[in-house]
Amino acid sequence: MSPERSDEPPAVTAPIATGWRARVRPRRGFERARDSAPAIVQIVVAASAAYAFAHLVLGHPSPLLAATVTISSLGLVRDARPRRVLETVIGMLVGVLVSELIVVVVGSGTWQLALALAATLLTARALSAQPSFAISAAIQSVIVIAIPGSMPFLRLVDGSVGAVAALLATALLPRRPLREVSRAGRALFADFDGAAATVIQALRRGDRVRADRGLEKARALQPLVDDWTTSLDSGLAVARISPFLRRQREELQRQDRMRASLDLATRNLRVIARRVVYALEDRQPRPIAADLLAQIARSADLLGQSIDDIALEPAARESLLAVATRLDPTSLAPGSSLGDQNVITALRPLVVDLLTAAGMPQAEARAAMPRI
C-alpha cells in the first residue's frame, strides 16, 4: 500500500501468466523459502537438540523418533499454537505406545503392522476428532513396527524427548509471530483496497460488469481474513507462554481488534458491492457514492499502514469521522432513487466497522453518524 493515493483508483486489470509461466515461478519459491526461514531454524535446532540429547545423554544408539516427533510436531504450518503442537505430540506418542505394546506382546511383522495400524487409528479417532491426530499416530506406529528396537519402550522415551523439545522450542524459539501476523494483515488491507477500487470505478463509470468484478473481489477477501485470524491466534498463544514475546503482546492484541472489525468490514463491502450491481442496471454513473467510497477507501488504506506505523491510526480515525458525519443519504442525494440512497446507506455500517478497527468504541462510532 502506498502512502498516497489519487481520487481515481488504479487500474484493476493485470496480465495473467499462463502455461509453464503459471507453474514455474522462482520468485514465489524464493519468497516462500524466505518466509519459512524462522520455522526452519526452529525445526533444525529443536530436532538436532532432541536427537543429540537422546543419543549423547541417554545413550540411545539410533534415536530416530526423537527427531521425527520434533519435526512433525512443529511443522511448517501457519498455526504454531502450543495447543496444536501439544495435540500433535500426544497423537504421535499414542501411536508409539500402541505399537510398542503390540511388539512386546506379539512381536513385529506384516500382520503385526496391520494390527498396530488398526489399533492405533481406532484409538486415535476415539481420542480426537482431528483427522491429523490419527494420521500422526499412524505414521509413528509404522516406524515402530518397521524399525526394530533394541529395548522395549526405548522409542517411547525417544518420542517423549522429541515432544519436550518441540514444546520448548515453541516457547523459547518463537517464529517471529508479529512479522507473520503483520504480513497477513497487510495482505488483507491490500486486497480490500483493490476490491473497493473496482467498485469505485464501477460507480464512476456506471459499469455493471466492473461492479460484478468488484463483488467477486470482495467475496475473495474471506480467505485472507482467515489467514490473519490463524496467524493472530497462533501468535497470541505463543506470546502468552514465551518470555521473549511479552513486548509484542500489546501489538498482537491491537491487530486482533483490527482483524475482528475488518472481518465485519469485508462482509459489509460485499453488501455494498451487491447493491452497486443492482443499482447499475441502468448503466448510469453514481459520482456521489463513488466519492464517498473513495474517501472511505483512503481512510482504510491509512488504517492498513498503521499496522507498521501505529501513529497513523489516529489519522485514519479522524479521516473516517469526517466521512461518518456526512453519511445522510437524504441530504447527500436529495431526490435520488431509493436504490441510490440504499447504496449510500450501506456505507454507514462499513464506516462503523472501520472506526472500530481504528480503536473507537462501537457506540461512539454509531453516534458519530447523522440520524436517518
Side-chain angles (χ1 to χ4, degrees), residues 197-236:
T198 306
V199 177
I200 292 165
Q201 286 188 335
L203 287 165
R204 292 199 191 283
R205 302 174 185 180
D207 189 339
R208 168 69 184 272
V209 174
R210 196 171 294 274
D212 282 325
R213 179 59 179 151
L215 178 56
E216 290 176 9
K217 287 187 174 185
R219 286 171 172 164
L221 293 175
Q222 192 57 46
L224 294 174
V225 175
D226 296 339
D227 285 347
W228 200 12
T229 300
T230 300
S231 297
L232 277 162
D233 288 346
S234 177
L236 286 166

Side-chain angles (χ1 to χ4, degrees), residues 110-358:
T110 302
W111 69 269
Q112 289 92 337
L113 174 63
L115 177 62
L117 271 176
T120 298
L121 288 169
L122 289 171
T123 302
R125 291 301 285 163
L127 292 174
S128 174
Q130 297 297 326
S132 58
F133 183 92
I135 296 302
S136 298
I139 291 172
Q140 302 306 315
S141 177
V142 170
I143 293 175
V144 170
I145 296 293
I147 302 176
S150 56
M151 292 178 58
F153 300 105
L154 187 65
R155 286 162 296 193
L156 182 61
V157 176
D158 290 339
S160 300
V161 170
V164 172
L167 292 170
L168 286 175
T170 302
L172 302 179
L173 295 172
R175 299 180 178 183
R176 301 170 68 180
L178 183 56
R179 179 179 179 180
E180 178 65 31
V181 166
S182 297
R183 183 185 297 115
R186 287 192 297 269
L188 174 57
F189 272 101
D191 280 26
F192 182 95
D193 185 74
T198 306
V199 177
I200 292 165
Q201 286 188 335
L203 287 165
R204 292 199 191 283
R205 302 174 185 180
D207 189 339
R208 168 69 184 272
V209 174
R210 196 171 294 274
D212 282 325
R213 179 59 179 151
L215 178 56
E216 290 176 9
K217 287 187 174 185
R219 286 171 172 164
L221 293 175
Q222 192 57 46
L224 294 174
V225 175
D226 296 339
D227 285 347
W228 200 12
T229 300
T230 300
S231 297
L232 277 162
D233 288 346
S234 177
L236 286 166
V238 175
R240 291 188 189 101
I241 66 170
S242 175
F244 304 107
L245 297 180
R246 289 178 181 173
R247 294 181 179 178
Q248 296 185 11
R249 291 176 192 172
E250 185 175 348
E251 175 59 22
L252 289 169
Q253 289 168 353
R254 182 179 78 93
Q255 290 199 33
D256 191 43
R257 176 251 295 163
M258 292 174 65
R259 188 272 318 159
S261 296
L262 203 68
D263 186 5
L264 298 174
T266 59
R267 298 170 194 267
N268 279 316
L269 184 61
R270 290 196 289 272
V271 172
I272 293 165
R274 280 195 295 270
R275 292 192 179 184
V276 170
V277 169
Y278 297 140
L280 293 183
E281 288 181 352
D282 60 4
R283 304 297 195 273
Q284 296 299 312
R286 265 71 177 185
I288 296 175
D291 289 343
L292 289 169
L293 185 54
Q295 293 173 41
I296 294 169
R298 285 194 292 273
S299 302
D301 184 62
L302 271 177
L303 184 59
Q305 292 179 55
S306 76
I307 289 177
D308 297 314
D309 184 0
I310 193 174
L312 292 174
E313 187 175 273
R317 191 162 54 242
E318 291 304 316
S319 178
L320 287 164
L321 277 173
V323 182
T325 56
R326 300 169 51 215
L327 282 178
D328 182 351
T330 56
S331 62
L332 284 170
S336 61
S337 69
L338 181 61
D340 288 351
Q341 293 196 2
N342 282 340
V343 171
I344 296 174
T345 302
L347 298 176
R348 291 165 62 94
L350 175 62
V351 173
V352 169
D353 293 334
L354 292 173
L355 280 169
T356 306

Side-chain angles (χ1 to χ4, degrees), residues 85-105:
V85 174
L86 180 60
E87 288 175 351
T88 306
V89 160
I90 293 173
M92 288 185 287
L93 293 183
V94 165
V96 174
L97 177 59
V98 170
S99 294
E100 287 279 23
L101 289 172
I102 289 175
V103 169
V104 169
V105 175

